[in-house]
Every structure is written in structure tokens, then in C-alpha cells.
Amino acid sequence: MFTLAIHGGAGTIERSLMTPELEAAYLKGLSLALKAGRKVLEAGGTSLDAVVASVIELENYPMFNAGKGAVYNHIGSHEMDAAVMEGKTLMAGAACGVTGVKNPILLAKGIMQQSEHVMMACQGAEAFAKSIGLEFESAAYFDTEHRYKQWLELKDGDQFTLDHSKSEKKMGTVGAVALDKDGNLAAATSTGGMTNKKFGRIGDSPVIGAGTYANNETCAISCTGHGELFLRSVVAYDISCLMAYKGLTLKEACDKVVMDKLVKIGGEGGLIALDTKGNIELPFNSSGMYRASVDAQGNEYFGIYR
């Protein structure tokens, strides 16, 4: 038995603003990512390898805010964050504020498996990426027309936005959670952050317990939303704690955090979650979240709107 869920970000995603061609393109990206992770799991691979495979596809797909599709920061460059965690050992790896690394999720995995650290940042993380042979791309690789237009609208002011919206509340992140045949959970998250964010800003995605968490005793979580509020709420770990200490089900814990606690402080977004029984939860309090999953029976699901 295995299960897998992925997301491509949450936000104010309105049907009225979505053309059939655009919707088909987003769904294609989700399908490629789900297929990549599912292939690993069907071959008996680990949940860690599955979530990384799914996120690589999302990072390589220019419509999602990670890797190639990463947004521009205030000075017109791309700073990317990523994290992975496996539930069996609680091992984790994270990279923050990196530029040029083609697949930041591979850097996060490398930090976890090939260093004595959990989190590395900026030039130090980039140097480590080179030392383990990861692929780099020029700045031009990360330049996409629609991201550039987003930045031009904001670059002369202090306003910043997240993604997937015409409003000020836009969330752009990608992630995956998986349960493999051995009953082990894993989570992975990758992001380009917020359009016009201040140079050096870090959100919740690479912070273990905030945007990414996995523990075989409870659940695996990957978040997407307004990172500052997800950081303050320690969202991913809060869900795990509600299950561990209060005995809540995965659904109860997710609903409590996403639909109640976050809403009370204005935290908009969502997350994908799995428990060791293969239960899948995909809650969000925004109007939409790009999401997909395959359950233990092999049934696939794709969704964008509420």
C-alpha cells in the first residue's frame, strides 16, 4: 500500500480568471508530478525518493513558483528555499535563499544525507551544492515572462505578493507527501517565495515544523500559504502535536489548524497531509489550491478550486 499527495500552491484562484488552456496547463504539471512520485512508489521505492521526484517535476515546470518558475525578489533576482524530512528517522534537510541551483529540493536532500547539518543558506548552501555535484543554471533559465510582469508591477514600491492571484494574497509553493509500502512517511516543499520580497527573506517552506514536517508516529505535512503567519503558527508541527497529544484524527487536526487557528490570525493558504494509515487531507482556507493525490486503492484525484 502507498499513498501520495502533491500541491502547487494556494491562493485566490478564481474560475472566472482561468482560461481552459491555462487550467489544462496547470493540470498537466500536477499530472507529471503525481506520475513521477507514483512511479517511484510502485517500484517499491521510498517515500523520500517519491516526494523528491514529484517536487523535481514541479520545480522544472515553469507555471509553479519553485525552481524554474520562481518569482523575482525586490532586487530582481531569484532566491529559492526547499526542505525535506523523513518520518522514520526524523532526519531533515533544508536550503534557504539559494540562487542558480536548478533543483533546490535535491540540495535539501543532499544537506540531509551528505552533511552533518539540517539547514544551510545562501552562498554556503550554494557552495555545498557544487561540492556534491548538483546542476546549476544561469539566471536566464529562471526568467519567465509572467513572473517578470508580476515583478514589474511591484518593483518600485514596498508591496509584495505571493502567487496565483490578482489580489494581494497570493501563495506560491510546491510540495509532496508520501507513504511507502514499508509504512514510512516523508514530506518535501520548495518555493521561490513572494514576488518583490525583501532580499534575504525566508518563509515557512524550509523551516522544519512550520512548512514541512514528517513523523511516522503522526503525519507528513507540506504547507503553502502566507509564510510569515505559517511560521508564527508552526503549522506543520502543530498538526502533529494535536494528533500525538490530544488524540485528534488527521482530519480533525488539519481542520483545527487550517480552518480555525490560522483563520483567526488572518493566515491564508493550505496544506497537504498524510497519516500512516494512508488517510489523505488537502485542506485550504483560500479560494483554491492546486492539488492532486493517489490513494491506497490507486484512485487519482485532481483539484484546483474549493
Side-chain angles (χ1 to χ4, degrees), residues 106-115 125-136:
L106 287 176
L107 176 52
K109 183 184 179 186
I111 291 168
M112 182 181 83
Q113 294 182 330
Q114 300 179 60
S115 82
E126 292 160 20
F128 181 76
K130 291 176 181 175
S131 76
I132 62 173
L134 293 187
E135 189 174 355
F136 277 69

Side-chain angles (χ1 to χ4, degrees), residues 148-198:
Y148 187 66
K149 288 180 178 177
Q150 285 178 341
W151 178 62
L152 288 179
E153 294 175 2
L154 301 171
K155 72 181 186 69
D156 294 326
D158 288 328
Q159 181 188 9
F160 60 82
T161 66
L162 290 89
D163 196 20
H164 299 321
S165 173
K166 298 291 185 184
S167 75
E168 293 184 15
K169 297 178 179 177
K170 309 176 183 180
M171 294 72 177
T173 304
V174 306
V177 292
L179 173 70
D180 62 31
K181 63 178 179 57
D182 295 320
N184 294 316
L185 292 165
T189 312
S190 181
T191 187
M194 303 183 295
T195 299
N196 209 43
K197 66 183 179 180
K198 288 291 188 287

Side-chain angles (χ1 to χ4, degrees), residues 239-260:
I239 290 171
S240 176
C241 289
L242 287 169
M243 296 175 69
Y245 304 142
K246 294 195 73 174
L248 270 60
T249 65
L250 181 68
K251 177 174 174 50
E252 289 169 342
C254 287
D255 286 348
K256 177 66 176 176
V257 173
V258 177
M259 311 309 290
D260 180 18

Side-chain angles (χ1 to χ4, degrees), residues 90 114 199:
L90 302 185
Q114 300 179 60
F199 179 61

